[in-house]
Amino acid sequence: MKNDGSSQGPGQPSRPKTARPKPRGRRRRGAGELDAWAEEIYAAPQDKPTADEGEAQVIVSTRLRKPKVHLMAPATAGYVDLRAYMGRWYEIARLPYFTQRRCMKDVHADYVLGDDGMVYVTNRCTHQDGTIGTAKGVARVVDRSTNARLEISFRTLYGVHVLWDDYWIIGVGADYEYALVGQPTRKRGWVLSRDRSPSEQQVEAWLAEFADKGFPADELLRTRQDPGADATTSEPAAAPAD
């Protein structure tokens, strides 16, 4: 009988059997790892309506990614008192960025700290045609030892906030009279002030501090702030009540 190699014939040395490699499956994560992987879900209270809407606002955010690692990131403020940081801030200067391309003047932001720990943000500015642009978002603290590193989102998908951006408080005044806000990449940056029209000496000092942190202070655009513009904008929205 012809031996086609499919069976072992007389006098043919035996072949050692080799074990087939077992398919490698995914390792199941333990409960602790899952908690670290998807670590945050926030829900604002639903039993009372917000100040701006007739129905309750639900804020839900999830984090399903590994923590970012930033090389050569700028140092942030040592500690930020969030309650002192809340209120109205006027934009004095900013690095140009497409999301604010329509803002011609009177850029300001109102921050409200909710009982749920979220920061409710309302940004406003005046467009070229005189209309008022408004953007509302939420921010969350990611470094509770300093409160200087936050993430902010202005976009939602099916009620869930997505596209979180870094919001780092690089510097802040002793009396919270000014704040330097930026991102670890140094591609975005803002100089904020409680005063709509601070002195030029103050602005130069703030820009110099920004430059010391590695930001391109010479590329910041000055923001036009018209006196009396607050009368044309509405009051900041309150955070959801308990």
Side-chain angles (χ1 to χ4, degrees), residues 3-242:
N3 184 3
D4 57 3
S6 60
S7 62
Q8 182 178 332
Q12 189 174 0
S14 60
R15 297 181 181 178
K17 294 183 178 181
T18 57
R20 291 185 178 181
K22 295 182 179 180
R24 298 175 64 183
R26 291 186 176 180
R27 181 176 63 85
R28 300 188 65 179
R29 298 179 181 273
E33 291 178 288
L34 286 174
D35 290 342
W37 187 253
E39 62 185 67
E40 293 180 4
I41 296 180
Y42 295 107
Q46 306 180 43
D47 54 346
K48 291 185 180 181
T50 64
D52 289 348
E53 300 175 355
E55 58 184 13
Q57 179 185 13
V58 178
I59 299 299
V60 179
S61 68
T62 59
R63 180 183 301 168
L64 297 174
R65 57 178 172 79
K66 294 181 179 179
K68 296 179 182 178
V69 177
H70 301 287
L71 300 178
M72 306 301 292
T76 60
Y79 180 77
V80 177
D81 183 340
L82 285 183
R83 295 193 179 278
Y85 193 81
M86 297 299 103
R88 175 158 293 188
W89 290 99
Y90 296 99
E91 181 187 276
I92 303 304
R94 70 174 182 265
L95 287 173
Y97 200 71
F98 77 96
T99 58
Q100 288 186 268
R101 63 190 181 279
R102 298 182 61 196
C103 292
M104 297 293 106
K105 62 177 182 177
D106 303 326
V107 184
H108 60 276
D110 294 296
Y111 298 152
V112 177
L113 182 62
D115 293 335
D116 54 2
M118 301 291 282
V119 178
Y120 293 80
V121 182
T122 302
N123 291 340
R124 293 187 178 90
C125 71
T126 302
H127 296 162
Q128 184 68 41
D129 59 2
T131 59
I132 304 299
T134 302
K136 294 185 178 182
V138 292
R140 60 190 181 190
V141 177
V142 297
D143 178 10
R144 297 196 177 277
S145 63
T146 65
N147 292 335
R149 297 183 184 183
L150 300 92
E151 291 177 337
I152 191 168
S153 170
F154 290 94
R155 299 289 183 88
T156 59
L157 180 64
Y158 301 113
V160 178
H161 273 271
V162 296
L163 303 179
W164 294 85
D165 287 328
D166 290 306
Y167 180 108
W168 287 17
I169 303 173
I170 306 301
V172 66
D175 297 323
Y176 291 82
E177 73 279 12
Y178 80 94
L180 307 178
V181 176
Q183 293 185 333
T185 59
R186 297 183 175 86
K187 293 182 178 179
R188 301 189 69 181
W190 298 266
V191 176
L192 307 178
S193 172
R194 298 293 193 187
D195 186 355
R196 174 187 290 277
S197 302
S199 67
E200 183 63 23
Q201 183 179 4
Q202 288 177 311
V203 175
E204 290 294 337
W206 300 338
L207 292 176
E209 182 179 347
F210 231 172
D212 289 341
K213 296 294 182 69
F215 283 80
D218 56 339
E219 298 179 12
L220 269 75
L221 304 177
R222 298 291 186 96
T223 304
R224 175 182 165 188
Q225 296 284 354
D226 288 348
D230 282 340
T232 64
T233 60
S234 59
E235 290 299 318
D242 286 336

